[in-house]
Amino acid sequence: MSKLLWQGLLAPLTEPAPLADAEATAALRALGRELGAATRRRLGRSLAIRELDAGSCNGCELEINALSNAFYDLERFGLRFVASPRHADVLLVTGPVTLNMREAMERTWRAMPAPKFVVAAGDCAVGCGLFTASPVCVGAAEKVLPVDLRIPGCPPDPTGLLRGLLSLIEANQ
Amino acid sequence: MTEGVLTALTGAAHTARWPRVAVVAATWEELGDLLAAGTVDLVSLWAEESVVHAALREGTATAILSVNATQGRFPSLGRHHPPALRLERAIQDLTGLVADGIPDGRPWLDHGRWAGGTGTSYEFLPVEGEGLHQIPVGPVHAGIIEPGHFRFTAHGETVVRLEQRLGYTHKGTAGLMRGADVSHAARLAGRVSGDATVAYAFAFALAAEQCAGIAAPARAQWLRILMAELERLANHLGDIGAICNDAAFAILLAHFGALRERVLRASSAAFGHRLMMDAIIPGGVARDIAPDGVAAIEALLATLHHQLPRLVRTYDETNSLQDRTVSTGIVRAAWARQFAAGGFIGRAAGRDFDARRCGAYGGYDELAFDVPVLEAGDVNARVWVRIRELEQSMTLIAQVLQRLRAAPWQPPIPLPAREGEGVALVESFRGDVFLWLRLSPDGRVAACHFRDPSWFQWPLLEAAIENNIVADFPLCNKSFNCAYSGHDG
């Protein structure tokens, strides 16, 4: 047991931060200007994220979960996952939004206090992916909610997710 | 009975492992009794247009029985055998056929929101008694997990009944496969459940190759097993850590989580994708293992051999953890048998079944491995089965790396366009994935059905949580880790 504790102290696994996605930062900056200084002051370098699976295959969830492991250590950037939408600044949506999840998605977003962002993560949430022709899916997240940032990939890897989320923070500075 | 009821029902000795035989309604009724008596296991139940199919197992014998629905109706098996119930409710939702005599005909996947929907009201089962209260949870849960609804009825802290409602992630995947070419359908199969993408792609490829009458090249077969075992390692490592975290022991989550990440990185180095999506294709594998892939996997095995025993010892010797996991969420052996529950849930409750051994597909029969089975059926037993399975996967991977040396690379074999049916039963980390496929004469998918192991595991969670405290539900749930997307389809 004590060896396990020492191991963590002596050889940290955590890796340097990837660079923020510059293109996304620029686009978000434009958005940030619209939101104004008050928003930036309120959110600062800290964003609380509510993850929402709107019908994904769970591949995206696996990689979003990986953000919390020792290699990526999401919380060092001021990003953290919260349980309640009432505490959230960011709704991180995955999946091709099934008809069965649409209402839950809308209600989760409505429960979040403004200012708030919507991030579509993964090819399904970005553009409906392989499920475009499905009669039981609404489609990309933007068909239901205003999307501020898109992180493609099937699934996006943790570095890609981090780059996208860091660009949200950068844009708020 | 020694001849086997299945052989009697199917009428002849067959060379195929899964002969499909048309039966009349009276035989179907008889099947209900055999299932209820436990003579035969239900492996899956599905329908296309006006035909209903039941995949069955009796010892080592397997078969599919098909009955024609007359005027849109077929006799319910769920009336005699509860494990058939949810599958029949799904058949009713997806095909409009009616299971005659079904004791619970409420919609299952259809939440009343599809085109021509039936309305969104849903009656949960009534629970009556003094001092009971209900706790509705989901579909959006507190953590980063898939959506589903749990309706708890509790007496104080004790769970009196849990009723699940699933179907939130239904994407119509099987419907999207109809008419698709085989390679597109294989990609869809790889997205039925992301954590078991290798197992699903493996099952789809085997079934497609059976339809086409071909077999993948030897090296591809070993690479498939290599990927399947890497996937098992990644999931078992991640889940054992998460179970410990749900018992408030976060340091093991940190260490197991780091090991899981190492598996994903080795997988990415070897196959170009962390979850190895789309790496298995009908006819073989998409590409050979990367030149430095073998070294990456060998380094991974060395790390696991070094670190795993220490972590396992910590799990075993930490009283506060054992206090939570021992005797919590017990699955009785009789339930596991009745539901033919696969994976570590069945094997932790005395059900000695593993498709890798009992089906011996894809080359597993040439490899040496044990199938760990425990009797206790609690959270602790499920953790231990998975620890033992980690060790077995590591020996399997070492054996496969040896075999790879003598198996030169061959490109995937193109599938000839021809009509046929194929069946595969592949052991995912979660349990046996059943997949049935029919190709039309032009080689496109005529119909596909897949049954996630969760179909027969979710109902056992309802039973196992009874009389446990509400606060232990996350722990029990994580120790099951049933699929939502895999179940919803």
Side-chain angles (χ1 to χ4, degrees), chain A residues 3-165:
Chain A
K3 270 190 184 162
L4 286 185
L5 290 167
W6 278 111
Q7 190 191 333
L9 290 173
L10 296 176
L13 298 171
T14 310
E15 296 173 336
L19 289 174
D21 182 338
E23 211 174 298
T25 307
L28 286 161
R29 279 233 169 88
L31 180 84
R33 275 192 290 277
E34 287 166 31
L35 289 172
T39 299
R40 291 201 290 280
R41 207 166 44 240
R42 199 172 307 167
L43 297 178
R45 283 199 73 87
S46 163
L47 288 176
I49 306 168
R50 172 62 246 196
E51 200 271 349
L52 186 116
D53 175 339
S56 97
C57 73
N58 80 28
C60 290
E61 278 60 41
L62 294 175
E63 294 296 56
I64 291 169
N65 262 315
L67 288 173
S68 299
N69 76 31
F71 289 85
Y72 305 104
D73 188 20
L74 183 79
E75 296 211 6
R76 71 187 144 139
F77 303 111
L79 295 161
R80 69 204 159 88
F81 292 107
V82 292
S84 170
R86 306 248 181 239
H87 303 156
D89 311 308
V90 176
L91 188 65
L92 179 61
V93 182
T94 67
V97 193
T98 63
L99 290 173
N100 287 351
M101 271 306 286
R102 181 185 188 135
E103 184 189 342
M105 180 174 168
E106 289 167 340
R107 286 170 66 167
T108 304
W109 186 74
R110 280 205 301 273
M112 290 167 60
K116 52 191 170 186
F117 301 97
V118 177
V119 177
D123 288 348
C124 288
V126 168
C128 204
L130 283 178
F131 298 95
T132 308
S134 173
V136 292
C137 293
V138 182
E142 68 185 16
K143 288 200 173 172
V144 182
L145 297 176
V147 171
D148 301 298
L149 172 68
R150 293 166 183 80
I151 306 175
C154 187
D157 63 18
T159 310
L161 287 162
L162 256 186
R163 278 165 52 84
L165 293 172

Side-chain angles (χ1 to χ4, degrees), chain B residues 82-105:
Chain B
L85 265 179
R86 289 180 175 178
L87 288 160
E88 284 182 347
R89 290 168 68 183
I91 288 173
Q92 296 196 142
D93 289 352
L94 296 175
T95 65
L97 298 177
V98 175
D100 247 338
I102 187 169
D104 178 359

Side-chain angles (χ1 to χ4, degrees), chain A residues 1 3-8 13 15 50-72 81-85 95-105 108 123-124 130-137 154-159, chain B residues 109-115 120 139-147 166-173 176 184 187-188 190-196 235 249 251-252 254-255 257-262 264-265 273-275 277-278 307 310-311 314 318 430 483-486:
Chain A
M1 180 68 192
K3 270 190 184 162
L4 286 185
L5 290 167
W6 278 111
Q7 190 191 333
L13 298 171
E15 296 173 336
R50 172 62 246 196
E51 200 271 349
L52 186 116
D53 175 339
S56 97
C57 73
N58 80 28
C60 290
E61 278 60 41
L62 294 175
E63 294 296 56
I64 291 169
N65 262 315
L67 288 173
S68 299
N69 76 31
F71 289 85
Y72 305 104
F81 292 107
V82 292
S84 170
V97 193
T98 63
L99 290 173
N100 287 351
M101 271 306 286
R102 181 185 188 135
E103 184 189 342
M105 180 174 168
T108 304
D123 288 348
C124 288
L130 283 178
F131 298 95
T132 308
S134 173
V136 292
C137 293
C154 187
D157 63 18
T159 310
Chain B
L109 300 177
D110 181 356
H111 291 195
R113 295 164 194 274
W114 302 344
T120 55
V140 180
H141 296 158
I144 304 169
I145 52 171
E146 301 178 77
L166 302 172
Y168 289 92
T169 69
H170 177 69
K171 295 180 271 296
T173 309
L176 289 172
H184 184 71
R187 284 169 56 81
L188 282 164
R191 281 149 187 87
V192 171
S193 188
D195 50 14
N235 281 298
F249 202 70
I251 190 169
L252 283 185
H255 283 277
L259 288 183
R260 175 186 157 84
E261 178 68 21
R262 290 188 192 280
L264 298 188
R265 289 179 175 203
H273 190 287
R274 285 160 56 88
L275 306 179
M277 270 178 174
D278 308 322
Q307 296 197 8
R310 212 159 58 190
L311 298 180
T314 305
T318 304
R430 188 177 270 129
Y484 297 73
S485 181

